[in-house]
Amino acid sequence: MAPRFVTSSDGVRLAVHESGNPEGPTVVAVHGYPDNHAVWDGLAARLATEVRFVAYDVRGAGASDKPRSRAAYRNERLADDLAAVIDAVSPDAPVHLLGHDWGSCQLWRPLSEPRIAARVATFTSISGPSFDHAAVWMRERSHRAASLRQLLASSYMLAFQVPRLPEAVVRRAPIERSVGDRFPRSEADKVNGINLYRANVLGALRRPRPPRVGVPTLVIVPLEDPFVRPEIAMQAPVPYVADLTVAEVPGGHWVVAEEPDVVATPFRAFLARNVNWRRMRDSNPRGR
């Protein structure tokens, strides 16, 4: 099905892809780097009878517009994109937010803002901790060994700060496909997303402002993730999240595409605890 387009506050058009049960609760899924909305296809298929699944291409990726400036990828712009999508797909009811990798990293701070928090019923994070939470956690003495392991796992982020070289490398590298659902990644997906790191990472690590999140939050932790160590994924958000659930699962960083059933199981259980199915049914005659 062709996407519909939603315009963000700065005029960037975002491609929004919808599937699943139109009478179910609305899930808005945000992908990471270097992916596009198709990374969610396997999970969307498994939840098709239960939820209305909305996945949008973030700016710079997929069929969405591709701004050239680094400033266009700052977290404030990404938050405006999220608000525009939620306004378009669910103007009258809160959504269930789902993020992977950078799609999750970019959501923590907006969730501390009333304009976003009021529109979100739950948040599920996969392999995408808040950089602010992580920066505070890594500075604690008791975490020195684990912090070193995480710094080594995240060394690619420092490489992305070098001008022009990362773009040259990814342009020459073969276009990869996911091992699971084998969705295509374009050169644009790989190149434009580098600006996410340049625009946001160093500032958060130098001067962290840890966001406090009040909505029920599920952190799904793939235990074989080479980029996000389980310790930081599970521990960093604890002081800042009022209602936190952690689910450890087998799998690597791209578990959402490689093993969507592994993600679907804890996600279903989390929704079951946080969706008032009776109230939703009674307020929607077509769902009876």
Side-chain angles (χ1 to χ4, degrees):
M1 183 182 297
R4 65 160 149 161
F5 287 87
V6 170
T7 302
S8 191
S9 59
D10 62 347
V12 168
R13 293 196 323 149
L14 305 166
V16 179
H17 306 257
E18 300 177 58
S19 62
N21 179 359
E23 309 298 348
T26 299
V27 173
V28 173
V30 190
H31 69 82
Y33 172 84
D35 302 326
N36 54 61
H37 78 280
V39 75
W40 297 111
D41 284 354
L43 185 60
R46 282 151 181 82
L47 299 174
T49 62
E50 303 159 58
V51 305
R52 176 187 177 212
F53 201 95
V54 177
Y56 66 96
D57 292 316
V58 304
R59 56 175 59 209
S64 291
D65 286 350
K66 300 168 177 60
R68 298 176 64 89
S69 73
R70 181 185 305 185
Y73 293 85
R74 288 187 60 82
N75 210 71
E76 293 82 358
R77 291 298 189 193
L78 304 178
D80 287 347
D81 293 351
L82 174 65
V85 171
I86 294 175
D87 285 346
V89 303
S90 188
D92 301 319
V95 303
H96 298 269
L97 203 53
L98 172 62
H100 171 250
D101 184 77
W102 245 105
S104 172
C105 295
Q106 68 173 271
L107 297 176
W108 292 92
R109 192 174 287 176
L111 280 169
S112 69
E113 302 173 8
R115 64 165 180 150
I116 300 294
R119 308 299 307 284
V120 175
T122 67
F123 171 44
T124 298
S125 167
I126 308 167
S127 294
S130 157
F131 289 117
D132 300 87
H133 294 171
V136 174
W137 183 87
M138 288 192 293
R139 290 174 183 177
E140 295 184 19
R141 284 188 174 185
S142 59
H143 299 152
R144 280 181 177 173
S147 296
L148 178 58
R149 290 192 292 269
Q150 182 58 58
L151 285 170
L152 291 172
S154 303
S155 58
Y156 68 95
M157 294 187 189
L158 297 178
F160 281 173
Q161 308 303 317
V162 178
R164 295 185 292 277
L165 180 61
E167 287 90 339
V169 170
V170 300
R171 282 193 177 100
R172 293 180 182 178
I175 299 298
E176 300 169 2
R177 292 181 180 272
S178 146
V179 242
D181 286 357
R182 306 194 66 80
F183 65 91
R185 292 169 174 148
S186 70
E187 180 180 291
D189 294 339
K190 291 185 170 187
V191 170
N192 295 325
I194 292 171
N195 276 320
L196 293 168
Y197 296 88
R198 290 178 177 156
N200 299 291
V201 172
L202 293 184
L205 296 180
R206 288 171 181 158
R207 295 176 297 278
R209 294 182 292 119
R212 295 192 176 273
V213 175
V215 304
T217 298
L218 169 65
V219 173
I220 297 178
V221 183
L223 294 176
E224 290 85 45
D225 191 333
F227 304 115
V228 181
R229 301 286 303 175
E231 302 97 325
I232 199 167
M234 291 188 283
Q235 298 172 18
V238 169
Y240 310 104
V241 180
D243 183 352
L244 178 65
T245 301
V246 173
E248 300 177 38
V249 298
H253 187 73
W254 276 279
V255 67
V256 294
E258 295 168 359
E259 300 179 76
D261 287 317
V262 167
V263 173
T265 299
F267 184 64
R268 279 193 186 100
F270 182 61
L271 281 191
R273 294 197 303 272
N274 289 283
V275 173
N276 189 327
W277 300 96
R278 180 183 177 86
R279 184 174 64 188
M280 184 184 69
R281 182 199 65 192
D282 291 346
S283 66
N284 187 350
R286 290 178 296 171
R288 294 178 183 175

